[in-house]
Amino acid sequence: MDKKLKYKELLKRIDSLIKDEEDYISKMSTIACEIFQSFDHFNWVGFYRLVNENILKVGPYQGTHGCLTIDINKGVCGKCVREKKVQIENDVNSIPHHIECSSDTKSEIVIPVFDKIGNLIAVLDIDSIKLNCFDSIDEKYLTIICANIY
Ligand code: SME
């Protein structure tokens, strides 16, 4: 199935599942599960929460091992926090700041999650076993999903 169509169906499914939910951990858990199940080549889908000004802690996720704590000065996730913008790395082995959690991971996208007054409170991190996996279509739909959490 075409990627756009997959995302459109995913959005509908997530909307209907979380529309009456207020708890953001429940929403993050459902979102991680639904995204993970939608694409065969995703090996890690989940959230890191900003617990103080420097530290991300792992939140709801699906997949293999993920580091529990990430300093915001490190990793693709840390860069997303510092720059407050989407990071797409389509060949993670070519960038020195990537933190490797699985040698299977070839590309990664990280989306900032903001609360209603624009504070960054978490990031959504997705890893793929495919090189060159992510583009503006992933960015568009994943950003819509992340705008619906807080
Ligand atoms: N690769 C991330 C670390 C988290 S794991 O991929 C689950 C990074 O460079 O920030």
Side-chain angles (χ1 to χ4, degrees), residues 48-64:
Y48 281 94
R49 300 156 302 119
L50 192 63
V51 294
N52 64 39
E53 58 183 15
N54 292 313
I55 298 294
L56 289 163
K57 288 273 182 191
V58 76
Y61 77 93
Q62 305 249 326
T64 50

Side-chain angles (χ1 to χ4, degrees), residues 22-23 33 42 66 69 79 82 89 94 96 106 109 119 125 127 131 137 143:
E22 285 181 1
D23 185 277
C33 168
F42 290 172
T69 303
K79 193 156 179 254
R82 296 195 310 277
E89 295 297 349
S94 72
K106 300 290 183 284
I109 187 168
N119 294 317
D125 180 16
D127 293 348
L131 264 177
I137 297 175
T143 299

Side-chain angles (χ1 to χ4, degrees), residues 121-132:
I121 39 81
V123 298
L124 168 63
D125 180 16
I126 302 180
D127 293 348
S128 169
I129 58 170
K130 271 175 43 181
L131 264 177
N132 298 314

Side-chain angles (χ1 to χ4, degrees), residues 44-45 48 56 58 61 64-67 70 74-79 92 95 97-102 105 108 110 125-127:
W44 204 95
V45 177
Y48 281 94
L56 289 163
V58 76
Y61 77 93
T64 50
H65 163 81
C67 27
I70 299 175
K74 297 192 174 140
V76 184
C77 292
K79 193 156 179 254
V92 293
I95 51 158
H97 62 284
H98 174 250
I99 300 169
E100 182 180 293
C101 291
S102 161
T105 298
E108 172 164 11
V110 185
D125 180 16
I126 302 180
D127 293 348

Side-chain angles (χ1 to χ4, degrees), residues 86 111-112 124 137-148:
V86 175
I111 314 282
L124 168 63
I137 297 175
D138 303 273
E139 174 169 353
K140 176 182 166 184
Y141 288 101
L142 294 168
T143 299
I144 296 172
I145 292 170
C146 286
N148 231 338

